[in-house]
Amino acid sequence: MTDALQVELVAADRVVWSGGATMVIARTVDGDVGVLRGHAPVLSALTEAVVEITPEEGTEVIATVDGGFLSVSDDRVSILSEHILLAQEIDLSEAEVELEEARRLLGTSNDAEQRIRRAEARIRAVEKAS
């Protein structure tokens, strides 16, 4: 038996990352959640934000989720989202342009706030990973 959390980061179209980890940090609609071994069972909705995974070995995994769900039970952590990007997959200049466009649409578009949160999360992910 391993002393690590078993973590799966799953998008609608692919398993983005899977493996053993010592800690996972994610942002739910109720606030940030840090998960270590022995964490109480949780099922929570995620918001557009950065997810941080500290693997047993190797460098920290930084990703963004566009909402979704966090499930924790018996030292297994599942993060499910329609769209997930690892920090190294994000084009910083594209995220910055998206942020500016979304800010211009505030008050005129129903999804402007969500687009702002998504772009800001992608920019933070790149900054955390560098």
Side-chain angles (χ1 to χ4, degrees), residues 21-100:
T22 57
M23 182 173 59
V24 175
I25 299 173
R27 179 163 295 161
T28 70
V29 294
D30 296 319
D32 289 350
V33 174
V35 179
L36 301 169
R37 271 186 56 75
H39 196 284
V42 170
L43 180 60
S44 189
L46 296 169
T47 188
E48 297 85 359
V50 175
V51 172
E52 301 172 52
I53 302 170
T54 305
E56 286 182 292
E57 297 177 7
T59 60
E60 186 174 38
V61 176
I62 306 289
T64 61
V65 295
D66 292 350
F69 295 93
L70 167 72
S71 171
V72 179
S73 180
D74 296 325
D75 293 328
R76 296 188 64 79
V77 179
S78 298
I79 296 173
L80 311 169
S81 181
E82 188 169 345
H83 301 286
I84 300 175
L85 289 173
L86 294 171
Q88 60 266 29
E89 298 172 330
I90 297 169
D91 181 326
L92 181 59
S93 59
E94 187 177 299
E96 290 169 339
V97 167
E98 173 64 18
L99 179 59
E100 290 308 313

Side-chain angles (χ1 to χ4, degrees), residues 64 66 83 85 90 95 117-126:
T64 61
D66 292 350
H83 301 286
L85 289 173
I90 297 169
R117 287 192 306 270
R118 184 179 305 137
E120 288 176 340
R122 290 178 179 176
I123 292 166
R124 276 194 305 275
V126 171

